[in-house]
Amino acid sequence: MIGGISQGGALAFYSAYTYPKPLAGIIGLSCWMCLQHLLPKENSSIPVLQCHGDCDNLVSYDWGKMVSDYIKTFNSSCHTFKTYHGLGHTNSVQEMMDMKDFINKHLPEDLTA
């Protein structure tokens, strides 16, 4: 599993979609996607949790929605976009709980498998 916030989220998306081996999931918090037109989409069916505050003044909420819409063109069944009302370019307790739930759901308990 890989994830990040802001530029780290953009790097997580890029890394996951170019990495040749399966991953348990991607978490992108208040982020965008770079070079999407060049991505081979190696892990195109990987579970994705994307979270964004609708008051983000650094990475526009609209950019986050554009990334979500793009990912849904090839991975609509495993992609979740969550909006946090009133949240800026930071995180919240609810966002952390949603991330914890996603990790618990998708990350194997036995990491040696």
Side-chain angles (χ1 to χ4, degrees):
M1 185 167 293
I2 190 168
I5 183 168
S6 196
Q7 187 171 352
L11 182 59
F13 280 125
Y14 182 83
S15 298
Y17 288 127
T18 58
Y19 188 65
K21 296 180 182 177
L23 295 172
I26 306 170
I27 299 173
L29 309 177
S30 297
C31 65
W32 69 94
M33 184 181 280
C34 57
L35 304 173
Q36 63 266 23
H37 60 286
L38 300 176
L39 298 179
K41 297 176 203 68
E42 291 290 339
N43 286 304
S44 62
S45 62
I46 189 171
V48 175
L49 174 63
Q50 189 182 351
C51 305
H52 215 111
D54 63 357
C55 292
D56 193 327
N57 61 346
L58 288 178
V59 178
S60 166
Y61 177 77
D62 291 338
W63 290 1
K65 282 297 290 173
M66 284 190 297
V67 170
S68 174
D69 292 343
Y70 176 73
I71 292 172
K72 287 179 180 177
T73 65
F74 61 87
N75 185 7
S76 62
S77 64
C78 297
H79 180 271
T80 302
F81 182 87
K82 291 191 172 266
T83 300
Y84 300 89
H85 299 288
L87 187 66
H89 196 69
T90 187
N91 53 46
S92 69
V93 172
Q94 183 59 55
E95 188 179 37
M96 294 297 106
M97 295 303 296
D98 291 340
M99 190 170 61
K100 178 184 173 190
D101 292 343
F102 180 83
I103 291 168
N104 287 336
K105 179 178 179 181
H106 295 288
L107 191 65
E109 287 186 32
D110 180 8
L111 296 177
T112 62

